[in-house]
Amino acid sequence: MAADAPAALIEASSLTKVYERGGGRAGFTAVDGIDFQVRRGEAFGLLGANGAGKSSTMRMIACVSPLTGGGLRVLGHDSVTDGPAIRARLGVVPQDDTIDGELTVRENLLIYGRYFGLSWKVLRERSTRLLEFTRLSDKAGDSVSTLSGGMRRRLTIARALINEPEIVLLDEPTTGLDPQARHLLWERLFQLKEDGVTLLLTTHYMDEAEQLCDRLVVMDAGRIVAEGAPAELIARHTSREVLELRFDRLERQTMTDRCRGLVEHMEELPDRLLLSTDDGEETLGAVHRRGVRPVTALVRRSSLEDVFLKLTGRSLLD
Amino acid sequence: MDTLVRAFSAPAFRELGYWLFRYRRTWRGSIVISVVNPLLFLAALGLGLGTLVDRDGGAYLRGDSYLEFLLPGLLVAAVMQTTFLEAAGPVMQGVLARGNYRAAASTPLSPADILHGHLMYWTLRAVMNATLFTLVSMLFGAVEASRIPLLVPVAVLVAVAFATPAAAWSVTMTRPSQINSMFRFAILPLYMFSGTFFPIEQLPSWLWPVAWATPLWHGVDLGRTVALGTATPLGTLAHLGYLVAMAVAGLLLARRNYRRRLHV
Ligand SMILES: Nc1ncnc2c1ncn2[C@@H]1O[C@H](COP(=O)(O)OP(=O)(O)OP(=O)(O)O)[C@@H](O)[C@H]1O
Ligand SMILES: [Mg+2]
């Protein structure tokens, strides 16, 4: 890492967003004084359930949403005063895509690029390269209405790269994609990272967060409840293994009650019971000795999902 | 002055570029409409109704033919309507999900740049429409060629005076039906009672102040006095003042509304 590079590309301090509500009601606090920093070249994740404030945070960083309080510096600029200069160096993949239905696939790249003041010559070359990068070359001349959801997502990503941004903001980039398309996207994102692009992404997929993010924060109701590398968070907040039990619907309550006190932390989900433990097999034995008969029992390693459940008391995909 | 220069600097031109790019797909149709529209009106109203009016209406027309009387109003009203439709619908669509404005707002453009760029487009389109309209009218003998350089700017001024409030209002709308209602219940009545088809002095005198208050009447009367050579300094100044004030007020309001809607 270059010594003269700024310590952090994104610095949020007590970042706050309150949405005004009509009818004289008090405003709604979507982001409640969060602090975090994103370093150059890293992939940083924002995790959180629906309504946690991820998109609100992303939009403030993208300088399309004024802060209500706190400070935000992006690429060394103050986001309040230097919005245009910051936006010029960002790539943005918003949660609901803003692909232009009036233009063809290729025109979407060209015309968007014009907004950054790029010449047609540069844009022709870049759009060809980006369409290849996102495997959309065959579709270049087609109307965007003929694209599938996954293709639209890829086009949005291609478009976000047209200005060769230093930071790319990806708000749920793979939601709604099939597994193959997701893996293709992950591979592309890795490639970007290798090229030195800083990534900031939100996701509901724990595997995605574990795969892609060097560091992440878990948000809940507008606050940050944990921060660290995925492995670090798992080590810090959960036991080594998890025993997952499923019960017959009629027996669920009695069986759950019998398991109480067996382990330090137990998570009751609508469809499963999760027991945190350092040795899943041994806990399973203890469960059986108490006369608990699950329909299925599964021992697995703890994951980010468990961290999330423990910290927020919520399932990510609720 | 400084803000004015900045307002129309490079970023706004990129938004203009976007709308011109889209116009490439519809320009043929739009030119046909700009030519056919005056043809139909002039044929039906000017030649058909006009012969009737000219037979007994000489006193009001002070020697001009009904066609000459009608043309400036028709021009101003037609250009205004086209501008309203080109401003209202696309602005509302632009700000909704998948609209152009949302995408443009994530680039270096500010909401004001987006507005200014789009306004340049409406202005350009109004110049095109007004020019074609007057040229066709000239072939009909409805206007003297020497008046065209004055009439076109009047029509464009009226277009801008309507475009900025229309944009300010539409950017806060979410349904196409709202635009349709506005057109039906505000724009069309304006058209009927602004003195386009007859001098407002024909209305009961208590209705005159209503007509004087409407922006289109100022535009129509300005156009007519300019075309027929009956303009007075005071009247012209009042008309210009009204229209410019409306354009500026609309612009300020639109800038505020664009910012609120695009930077939430
Ligand atoms: N423009 C807005 N006006 C009012 N409230 C808003 C607005 N945008 C978001 N909110 C509220 O702010 C909260 C956080 O929303 P946000 O979109 O940031 O959540 P999120 O973490 O991205 O959720 P999701 O996973 O569903 O995308 C929600 O309760 C939402 O209702
Ligand atoms: Mg979101």
mmCIF file with all atom_site columns, all heavy atoms in Angstrom, chain A residues 19-20 28 30-31 48-57 59 95 171-172 204, chain B residues 264, ligand 1:
data_model
loop_
_atom_site.group_PDB
_atom_site.id
_atom_site.type_symbol
_atom_site.label_atom_id
_atom_site.label_alt_id
_atom_site.label_comp_id
_atom_site.label_asym_id
_atom_site.label_entity_id
_atom_site.label_seq_id
_atom_site.pdbx_PDB_ins_code
_atom_site.Cartn_x
_atom_site.Cartn_y
_atom_site.Cartn_z
_atom_site.occupancy
_atom_site.B_iso_or_equiv
_atom_site.pdbx_formal_charge
_atom_site.auth_seq_id
_atom_site.auth_comp_id
_atom_site.auth_asym_id
_atom_site.auth_atom_id
_atom_site.pdbx_PDB_model_num
ATOM   1   N N   . TYR A 1 19  ? -35.438 10.684  8.399  1.00 0.00 ? 19  TYR A N   1
ATOM   2   C CA  . TYR A 1 19  ? -36.389 11.028  7.333  1.00 0.00 ? 19  TYR A CA  1
ATOM   3   C C   . TYR A 1 19  ? -37.542 11.788  7.948  1.00 0.00 ? 19  TYR A C   1
ATOM   4   O O   . TYR A 1 19  ? -38.104 11.366  8.953  1.00 0.00 ? 19  TYR A O   1
ATOM   5   C CB  . TYR A 1 19  ? -36.911 9.769   6.640  1.00 0.00 ? 19  TYR A CB  1
ATOM   6   C CG  . TYR A 1 19  ? -35.874 9.050   5.827  1.00 0.00 ? 19  TYR A CG  1
ATOM   7   C CD1 . TYR A 1 19  ? -35.367 7.827   6.236  1.00 0.00 ? 19  TYR A CD1 1
ATOM   8   C CD2 . TYR A 1 19  ? -35.397 9.601   4.635  1.00 0.00 ? 19  TYR A CD2 1
ATOM   9   C CE1 . TYR A 1 19  ? -34.413 7.154   5.486  1.00 0.00 ? 19  TYR A CE1 1
ATOM   10  C CE2 . TYR A 1 19  ? -34.440 8.942   3.872  1.00 0.00 ? 19  TYR A CE2 1
ATOM   11  C CZ  . TYR A 1 19  ? -33.961 7.719   4.313  1.00 0.00 ? 19  TYR A CZ  1
ATOM   12  O OH  . TYR A 1 19  ? -33.018 7.068   3.575  1.00 0.00 ? 19  TYR A OH  1
ATOM   13  N N   . GLU A 1 20  ? -37.875 12.894  7.306  1.00 0.00 ? 20  GLU A N   1
ATOM   14  C CA  . GLU A 1 20  ? -39.029 13.663  7.786  1.00 0.00 ? 20  GLU A CA  1
ATOM   15  C C   . GLU A 1 20  ? -40.300 12.913  7.463  1.00 0.00 ? 20  GLU A C   1
ATOM   16  O O   . GLU A 1 20  ? -40.388 12.236  6.449  1.00 0.00 ? 20  GLU A O   1
ATOM   17  C CB  . GLU A 1 20  ? -39.058 15.028  7.102  1.00 0.00 ? 20  GLU A CB  1
ATOM   18  C CG  . GLU A 1 20  ? -38.101 16.005  7.724  1.00 0.00 ? 20  GLU A CG  1
ATOM   19  C CD  . GLU A 1 20  ? -38.003 17.270  6.905  1.00 0.00 ? 20  GLU A CD  1
ATOM   20  O OE1 . GLU A 1 20  ? -39.039 17.681  6.348  1.00 0.00 ? 20  GLU A OE1 1
ATOM   21  O OE2 . GLU A 1 20  ? -36.902 17.819  6.818  1.00 0.00 ? 20  GLU A OE2 1
ATOM   22  N N   . PHE A 1 28  ? -38.226 9.955   11.315 1.00 0.00 ? 28  PHE A N   1
ATOM   23  C CA  . PHE A 1 28  ? -37.859 8.569   11.519 1.00 0.00 ? 28  PHE A CA  1
ATOM   24  C C   . PHE A 1 28  ? -36.351 8.421   11.374 1.00 0.00 ? 28  PHE A C   1
ATOM   25  O O   . PHE A 1 28  ? -35.771 8.799   10.357 1.00 0.00 ? 28  PHE A O   1
ATOM   26  C CB  . PHE A 1 28  ? -38.570 7.678   10.501 1.00 0.00 ? 28  PHE A CB  1
ATOM   27  C CG  . PHE A 1 28  ? -38.189 6.234   10.623 1.00 0.00 ? 28  PHE A CG  1
ATOM   28  C CD1 . PHE A 1 28  ? -38.784 5.430   11.580 1.00 0.00 ? 28  PHE A CD1 1
ATOM   29  C CD2 . PHE A 1 28  ? -37.195 5.691   9.803  1.00 0.00 ? 28  PHE A CD2 1
ATOM   30  C CE1 . PHE A 1 28  ? -38.409 4.106   11.715 1.00 0.00 ? 28  PHE A CE1 1
ATOM   31  C CE2 . PHE A 1 28  ? -36.820 4.365   9.933  1.00 0.00 ? 28  PHE A CE2 1
ATOM   32  C CZ  . PHE A 1 28  ? -37.438 3.576   10.896 1.00 0.00 ? 28  PHE A CZ  1
ATOM   33  N N   . ALA A 1 30  ? -33.355 6.515   10.523 1.00 0.00 ? 30  ALA A N   1
ATOM   34  C CA  . ALA A 1 30  ? -32.985 5.298   9.787  1.00 0.00 ? 30  ALA A CA  1
ATOM   35  C C   . ALA A 1 30  ? -31.533 4.923   10.055 1.00 0.00 ? 30  ALA A C   1
ATOM   36  O O   . ALA A 1 30  ? -31.178 3.750   10.059 1.00 0.00 ? 30  ALA A O   1
ATOM   37  C CB  . ALA A 1 30  ? -33.218 5.494   8.290  1.00 0.00 ? 30  ALA A CB  1
ATOM   38  N N   . VAL A 1 31  ? -30.677 5.928   10.245 1.00 0.00 ? 31  VAL A N   1
ATOM   39  C CA  . VAL A 1 31  ? -29.270 5.683   10.572 1.00 0.00 ? 31  VAL A CA  1
ATOM   40  C C   . VAL A 1 31  ? -28.969 6.500   11.819 1.00 0.00 ? 31  VAL A C   1
ATOM   41  O O   . VAL A 1 31  ? -29.182 7.710   11.840 1.00 0.00 ? 31  VAL A O   1
ATOM   42  C CB  . VAL A 1 31  ? -28.343 6.085   9.402  1.00 0.00 ? 31  VAL A CB  1
ATOM   43  C CG1 . VAL A 1 31  ? -26.885 5.854   9.779  1.00 0.00 ? 31  VAL A CG1 1
ATOM   44  C CG2 . VAL A 1 31  ? -28.701 5.308   8.140  1.00 0.00 ? 31  VAL A CG2 1
ATOM   45  N N   . GLY A 1 48  ? -27.365 -6.472  7.472  1.00 0.00 ? 48  GLY A N   1
ATOM   46  C CA  . GLY A 1 48  ? -28.468 -6.060  8.321  1.00 0.00 ? 48  GLY A CA  1
ATOM   47  C C   . GLY A 1 48  ? -29.778 -6.546  7.764  1.00 0.00 ? 48  GLY A C   1
ATOM   48  O O   . GLY A 1 48  ? -29.892 -6.792  6.561  1.00 0.00 ? 48  GLY A O   1
ATOM   49  N N   . ALA A 1 49  ? -30.772 -6.681  8.619  1.00 0.00 ? 49  ALA A N   1
ATOM   50  C CA  . ALA A 1 49  ? -32.090 -7.131  8.180  1.00 0.00 ? 49  ALA A CA  1
ATOM   51  C C   . ALA A 1 49  ? -32.765 -6.026  7.380  1.00 0.00 ? 49  ALA A C   1
ATOM   52  O O   . ALA A 1 49  ? -32.242 -4.916  7.275  1.00 0.00 ? 49  ALA A O   1
ATOM   53  C CB  . ALA A 1 49  ? -32.937 -7.505  9.398  1.00 0.00 ? 49  ALA A CB  1
ATOM   54  N N   . ASN A 1 50  ? -33.918 -6.302  6.833  1.00 0.00 ? 50  ASN A N   1
ATOM   55  C CA  . ASN A 1 50  ? -34.683 -5.293  6.102  1.00 0.00 ? 50  ASN A CA  1
ATOM   56  C C   . ASN A 1 50  ? -34.935 -4.099  7.009  1.00 0.00 ? 50  ASN A C   1
ATOM   57  O O   . ASN A 1 50  ? -35.337 -4.262  8.161  1.00 0.00 ? 50  ASN A O   1
ATOM   58  C CB  . ASN A 1 50  ? -36.037 -5.850  5.651  1.00 0.00 ? 50  ASN A CB  1
ATOM   59  C CG  . ASN A 1 50  ? -35.904 -6.916  4.576  1.00 0.00 ? 50  ASN A CG  1
ATOM   60  O OD1 . ASN A 1 50  ? -36.589 -7.918  4.615  1.00 0.00 ? 50  ASN A OD1 1
ATOM   61  N ND2 . ASN A 1 50  ? -35.017 -6.716  3.644  1.00 0.00 ? 50  ASN A ND2 1
ATOM   62  N N   . GLY A 1 51  ? -34.660 -2.907  6.483  1.00 0.00 ? 51  GLY A N   1
ATOM   63  C CA  . GLY A 1 51  ? -34.931 -1.696  7.239  1.00 0.00 ? 51  GLY A CA  1
ATOM   64  C C   . GLY A 1 51  ? -33.851 -1.323  8.238  1.00 0.00 ? 51  GLY A C   1
ATOM   65  O O   . GLY A 1 51  ? -34.018 -0.388  9.005  1.00 0.00 ? 51  GLY A O   1
ATOM   66  N N   . ALA A 1 52  ? -32.716 -2.034  8.203  1.00 0.00 ? 52  ALA A N   1
ATOM   67  C CA  . ALA A 1 52  ? -31.654 -1.760  9.165  1.00 0.00 ? 52  ALA A CA  1
ATOM   68  C C   . ALA A 1 52  ? -30.970 -0.421  8.901  1.00 0.00 ? 52  ALA A C   1
ATOM   69  O O   . ALA A 1 52  ? -30.330 0.142   9.786  1.00 0.00 ? 52  ALA A O   1
ATOM   70  C CB  . ALA A 1 52  ? -30.627 -2.882  9.141  1.00 0.00 ? 52  ALA A CB  1
ATOM   71  N N   . GLY A 1 53  ? -31.107 0.086   7.669  1.00 0.00 ? 53  GLY A N   1
ATOM   72  C CA  . GLY A 1 53  ? -30.480 1.360   7.332  1.00 0.00 ? 53  GLY A CA  1
ATOM   73  C C   . GLY A 1 53  ? -29.304 1.246   6.380  1.00 0.00 ? 53  GLY A C   1
ATOM   74  O O   . GLY A 1 53  ? -28.548 2.198   6.205  1.00 0.00 ? 53  GLY A O   1
ATOM   75  N N   . LYS A 1 54  ? -29.170 0.094   5.745  1.00 0.00 ? 54  LYS A N   1
ATOM   76  C CA  . LYS A 1 54  ? -28.049 -0.112  4.824  1.00 0.00 ? 54  LYS A CA  1
ATOM   77  C C   . LYS A 1 54  ? -28.127 0.804   3.608  1.00 0.00 ? 54  LYS A C   1
ATOM   78  O O   . LYS A 1 54  ? -27.173 1.510   3.286  1.00 0.00 ? 54  LYS A O   1
ATOM   79  C CB  . LYS A 1 54  ? -28.020 -1.581  4.350  1.00 0.00 ? 54  LYS A CB  1
ATOM   80  C CG  . LYS A 1 54  ? -27.979 -2.587  5.469  1.00 0.00 ? 54  LYS A CG  1
ATOM   81  C CD  . LYS A 1 54  ? -27.962 -4.008  4.927  1.00 0.00 ? 54  LYS A CD  1
ATOM   82  C CE  . LYS A 1 54  ? -29.200 -4.412  4.147  1.00 0.00 ? 54  LYS A CE  1
ATOM   83  N NZ  . LYS A 1 54  ? -30.433 -4.504  4.939  1.00 0.00 ? 54  LYS A NZ  1
ATOM   84  N N   . SER A 1 55  ? -29.284 0.784   2.948  1.00 0.00 ? 55  SER A N   1
ATOM   85  C CA  . SER A 1 55  ? -29.417 1.610   1.743  1.00 0.00 ? 55  SER A CA  1
ATOM   86  C C   . SER A 1 55  ? -29.325 3.091   2.081  1.00 0.00 ? 55  SER A C   1
ATOM   87  O O   . SER A 1 55  ? -28.751 3.870   1.315  1.00 0.00 ? 55  SER A O   1
ATOM   88  C CB  . SER A 1 55  ? -30.734 1.313   1.032  1.00 0.00 ? 55  SER A CB  1
ATOM   89  O OG  . SER A 1 55  ? -30.768 -0.010  0.598  1.00 0.00 ? 55  SER A OG  1
ATOM   90  N N   . SER A 1 56  ? -29.878 3.474   3.204  1.00 0.00 ? 56  SER A N   1
ATOM   91  C CA  . SER A 1 56  ? -29.791 4.883   3.604  1.00 0.00 ? 56  SER A CA  1
ATOM   92  C C   . SER A 1 56  ? -28.330 5.287   3.757  1.00 0.00 ? 56  SER A C   1
ATOM   93  O O   . SER A 1 56  ? -27.928 6.379   3.338  1.00 0.00 ? 56  SER A O   1
ATOM   94  C CB  . SER A 1 56  ? -30.538 5.101   4.923  1.00 0.00 ? 56  SER A CB  1
ATOM   95  O OG  . SER A 1 56  ? -31.884 4.723   4.792  1.00 0.00 ? 56  SER A OG  1
ATOM   96  N N   . THR A 1 57  ? -27.529 4.410   4.366  1.00 0.00 ? 57  THR A N   1
ATOM   97  C CA  . THR A 1 57  ? -26.103 4.687   4.520  1.00 0.00 ? 57  THR A CA  1
ATOM   98  C C   . THR A 1 57  ? -25.427 4.782   3.151  1.00 0.00 ? 57  THR A C   1
ATOM   99  O O   . THR A 1 57  ? -24.658 5.715   2.883  1.00 0.00 ? 57  THR A O   1
ATOM   100 C CB  . THR A 1 57  ? -25.446 3.569   5.349  1.00 0.00 ? 57  THR A CB  1
ATOM   101 O OG1 . THR A 1 57  ? -26.153 3.445   6.581  1.00 0.00 ? 57  THR A OG1 1
ATOM   102 C CG2 . THR A 1 57  ? -23.988 3.876   5.622  1.00 0.00 ? 57  THR A CG2 1
ATOM   103 N N   . ARG A 1 59  ? -26.731 5.537   0.292  1.00 0.00 ? 59  ARG A N   1
ATOM   104 C CA  . ARG A 1 59  ? -27.130 6.731   -0.468 1.00 0.00 ? 59  ARG A CA  1
ATOM   105 C C   . ARG A 1 59  ? -26.438 7.986   0.056  1.00 0.00 ? 59  ARG A C   1
ATOM   106 O O   . ARG A 1 59  ? -26.139 8.899   -0.715 1.00 0.00 ? 59  ARG A O   1
ATOM   107 C CB  . ARG A 1 59  ? -28.649 6.897   -0.434 1.00 0.00 ? 59  ARG A CB  1
ATOM   108 C CG  . ARG A 1 59  ? -29.376 5.914   -1.357 1.00 0.00 ? 59  ARG A CG  1
ATOM   109 C CD  . ARG A 1 59  ? -30.756 6.429   -1.740 1.00 0.00 ? 59  ARG A CD  1
ATOM   110 N NE  . ARG A 1 59  ? -31.562 6.680   -0.563 1.00 0.00 ? 59  ARG A NE  1
ATOM   111 C CZ  . ARG A 1 59  ? -32.353 5.771   0.013  1.00 0.00 ? 59  ARG A CZ  1
ATOM   112 N NH1 . ARG A 1 59  ? -32.432 4.562   -0.493 1.00 0.00 ? 59  ARG A NH1 1
ATOM   113 N NH2 . ARG A 1 59  ? -33.042 6.078   1.075  1.00 0.00 ? 59  ARG A NH2 1
ATOM   114 N N   . GLN A 1 95  ? -29.974 -0.230  -5.123 1.00 0.00 ? 95  GLN A N   1
ATOM   115 C CA  . GLN A 1 95  ? -30.774 -1.432  -4.832 1.00 0.00 ? 95  GLN A CA  1
ATOM   116 C C   . GLN A 1 95  ? -31.828 -1.665  -5.912 1.00 0.00 ? 95  GLN A C   1
ATOM   117 O O   . GLN A 1 95  ? -31.955 -2.773  -6.416 1.00 0.00 ? 95  GLN A O   1
ATOM   118 C CB  . GLN A 1 95  ? -31.442 -1.291  -3.466 1.00 0.00 ? 95  GLN A CB  1
ATOM   119 C CG  . GLN A 1 95  ? -32.242 -2.518  -3.073 1.00 0.00 ? 95  GLN A CG  1
ATOM   120 C CD  . GLN A 1 95  ? -32.611 -2.518  -1.599 1.00 0.00 ? 95  GLN A CD  1
ATOM   121 O OE1 . GLN A 1 95  ? -32.286 -1.589  -0.854 1.00 0.00 ? 95  GLN A OE1 1
ATOM   122 N NE2 . GLN A 1 95  ? -33.279 -3.568  -1.165 1.00 0.00 ? 95  GLN A NE2 1
ATOM   123 N N   . ASP A 1 171 ? -25.378 -2.062  -3.721 1.00 0.00 ? 171 ASP A N   1
ATOM   124 C CA  . ASP A 1 171 ? -26.468 -2.294  -2.779 1.00 0.00 ? 171 ASP A CA  1
ATOM   125 C C   . ASP A 1 171 ? -27.220 -3.552  -3.193 1.00 0.00 ? 171 ASP A C   1
ATOM   126 O O   . ASP A 1 171 ? -27.988 -3.535  -4.151 1.00 0.00 ? 171 ASP A O   1
ATOM   127 C CB  . ASP A 1 171 ? -27.402 -1.079  -2.754 1.00 0.00 ? 171 ASP A CB  1
ATOM   128 C CG  . ASP A 1 171 ? -28.262 -1.047  -1.491 1.00 0.00 ? 171 ASP A CG  1
ATOM   129 O OD1 . ASP A 1 171 ? -28.293 -2.069  -0.766 1.00 0.00 ? 171 ASP A OD1 1
ATOM   130 O OD2 . ASP A 1 171 ? -28.903 -0.009  -1.238 1.00 0.00 ? 171 ASP A OD2 1
ATOM   131 N N   . GLU A 1 172 ? -26.982 -4.629  -2.486 1.00 0.00 ? 172 GLU A N   1
ATOM   132 C CA  . GLU A 1 172 ? -27.559 -5.937  -2.801 1.00 0.00 ? 172 GLU A CA  1
ATOM   133 C C   . GLU A 1 172 ? -27.349 -6.316  -4.263 1.00 0.00 ? 172 GLU A C   1
ATOM   134 O O   . GLU A 1 172 ? -28.309 -6.520  -5.014 1.00 0.00 ? 172 GLU A O   1
ATOM   135 C CB  . GLU A 1 172 ? -29.051 -5.956  -2.449 1.00 0.00 ? 172 GLU A CB  1
ATOM   136 C CG  . GLU A 1 172 ? -29.274 -5.719  -0.972 1.00 0.00 ? 172 GLU A CG  1
ATOM   137 C CD  . GLU A 1 172 ? -30.728 -5.963  -0.573 1.00 0.00 ? 172 GLU A CD  1
ATOM   138 O OE1 . GLU A 1 172 ? -31.434 -6.683  -1.273 1.00 0.00 ? 172 GLU A OE1 1
ATOM   139 O OE2 . GLU A 1 172 ? -31.119 -5.433  0.481  1.00 0.00 ? 172 GLU A OE2 1
ATOM   140 N N   . HIS A 1 204 ? -27.785 -9.692  1.890  1.00 0.00 ? 204 HIS A N   1
ATOM   141 C CA  . HIS A 1 204 ? -28.512 -10.511 2.855  1.00 0.00 ? 204 HIS A CA  1
ATOM   142 C C   . HIS A 1 204 ? -27.933 -11.910 2.891  1.00 0.00 ? 204 HIS A C   1
ATOM   143 O O   . HIS A 1 204 ? -28.384 -12.737 3.663  1.00 0.00 ? 204 HIS A O   1
ATOM   144 C CB  . HIS A 1 204 ? -29.990 -10.610 2.468  1.00 0.00 ? 204 HIS A CB  1
ATOM   145 C CG  . HIS A 1 204 ? -30.740 -9.345  2.702  1.00 0.00 ? 204 HIS A CG  1
ATOM   146 N ND1 . HIS A 1 204 ? -31.735 -8.909  1.882  1.00 0.00 ? 204 HIS A ND1 1
ATOM   147 C CD2 . HIS A 1 204 ? -30.633 -8.427  3.683  1.00 0.00 ? 204 HIS A CD2 1
ATOM   148 C CE1 . HIS A 1 204 ? -32.208 -7.768  2.337  1.00 0.00 ? 204 HIS A CE1 1
ATOM   149 N NE2 . HIS A 1 204 ? -31.554 -7.450  3.423  1.00 0.00 ? 204 HIS A NE2 1
ATOM   150 N N   . VAL B 2 264 ? -32.911 12.727  -1.467 1.00 0.00 ? 264 VAL B N   1
ATOM   151 C CA  . VAL B 2 264 ? -33.818 12.490  -0.331 1.00 0.00 ? 264 VAL B CA  1
ATOM   152 C C   . VAL B 2 264 ? -33.049 12.175  0.935  1.00 0.00 ? 264 VAL B C   1
ATOM   153 O O   . VAL B 2 264 ? -32.177 11.335  0.915  1.00 0.00 ? 264 VAL B O   1
ATOM   154 C CB  . VAL B 2 264 ? -34.760 11.296  -0.591 1.00 0.00 ? 264 VAL B CB  1
ATOM   155 C CG1 . VAL B 2 264 ? -36.104 11.591  0.036  1.00 0.00 ? 264 VAL B CG1 1
ATOM   156 C CG2 . VAL B 2 264 ? -34.885 10.986  -2.042 1.00 0.00 ? 264 VAL B CG2 1
HETATM 157 N N1  . LIG C 3 .   ? -37.182 8.047   1.551  1.00 0.00 ? 1   LIG C N1  1
HETATM 158 C C1  . LIG C 3 .   ? -37.556 7.565   2.744  1.00 0.00 ? 1   LIG C C1  1
HETATM 159 N N2  . LIG C 3 .   ? -38.479 8.195   3.477  1.00 0.00 ? 1   LIG C N2  1
HETATM 160 C C2  . LIG C 3 .   ? -38.871 7.736   4.675  1.00 0.00 ? 1   LIG C C2  1
HETATM 161 N N3  . LIG C 3 .   ? -38.378 6.626   5.255  1.00 0.00 ? 1   LIG C N3  1
HETATM 162 C C3  . LIG C 3 .   ? -37.448 5.956   4.579  1.00 0.00 ? 1   LIG C C3  1
HETATM 163 C C4  . LIG C 3 .   ? -36.985 6.372   3.289  1.00 0.00 ? 1   LIG C C4  1
HETATM 164 N N4  . LIG C 3 .   ? -36.062 5.477   2.876  1.00 0.00 ? 1   LIG C N4  1
HETATM 165 C C5  . LIG C 3 .   ? -35.957 4.555   3.844  1.00 0.00 ? 1   LIG C C5  1
HETATM 166 N N5  . LIG C 3 .   ? -36.774 4.837   4.868  1.00 0.00 ? 1   LIG C N5  1
HETATM 167 C C6  . LIG C 3 .   ? -36.909 4.055   6.126  1.00 0.00 ? 1   LIG C C6  1
HETATM 168 O O1  . LIG C 3 .   ? -35.649 3.961   6.709  1.00 0.00 ? 1   LIG C O1  1
HETATM 169 C C7  . LIG C 3 .   ? -35.418 2.657   7.208  1.00 0.00 ? 1   LIG C C7  1
HETATM 170 C C8  . LIG C 3 .   ? -34.148 2.100   6.637  1.00 0.00 ? 1   LIG C C8  1
HETATM 171 O O2  . LIG C 3 .   ? -34.333 1.917   5.245  1.00 0.00 ? 1   LIG C O2  1
HETATM 172 P P1  . LIG C 3 .   ? -33.173 1.374   4.329  1.00 0.00 ? 1   LIG C P1  1
HETATM 173 O O3  . LIG C 3 .   ? -33.688 1.369   2.931  1.00 0.00 ? 1   LIG C O3  1
HETATM 174 O O4  . LIG C 3 .   ? -31.940 2.125   4.596  1.00 0.00 ? 1   LIG C O4  1
HETATM 175 O O5  . LIG C 3 .   ? -33.032 -0.122  4.848  1.00 0.00 ? 1   LIG C O5  1
HETATM 176 P P2  . LIG C 3 .   ? -32.164 -1.325  4.305  1.00 0.00 ? 1   LIG C P2  1
HETATM 177 O O6  . LIG C 3 .   ? -31.269 -1.743  5.392  1.00 0.00 ? 1   LIG C O6  1
HETATM 178 O O7  . LIG C 3 .   ? -31.543 -0.978  3.016  1.00 0.00 ? 1   LIG C O7  1
HETATM 179 O O8  . LIG C 3 .   ? -33.288 -2.441  4.082  1.00 0.00 ? 1   LIG C O8  1
HETATM 180 P P3  . LIG C 3 .   ? -33.444 -3.544  2.930  1.00 0.00 ? 1   LIG C P3  1
HETATM 181 O O9  . LIG C 3 .   ? -32.636 -4.703  3.341  1.00 0.00 ? 1   LIG C O9  1
HETATM 182 O O10 . LIG C 3 .   ? -34.899 -3.866  2.981  1.00 0.00 ? 1   LIG C O10 1
HETATM 183 O O11 . LIG C 3 .   ? -33.030 -2.933  1.645  1.00 0.00 ? 1   LIG C O11 1
HETATM 184 C C9  . LIG C 3 .   ? -36.653 1.860   6.876  1.00 0.00 ? 1   LIG C C9  1
HETATM 185 O O12 . LIG C 3 .   ? -37.454 1.765   8.021  1.00 0.00 ? 1   LIG C O12 1
HETATM 186 C C10 . LIG C 3 .   ? -37.351 2.649   5.816  1.00 0.00 ? 1   LIG C C10 1
HETATM 187 O O13 . LIG C 3 .   ? -38.740 2.524   5.936  1.00 0.00 ? 1   LIG C O13 1
#
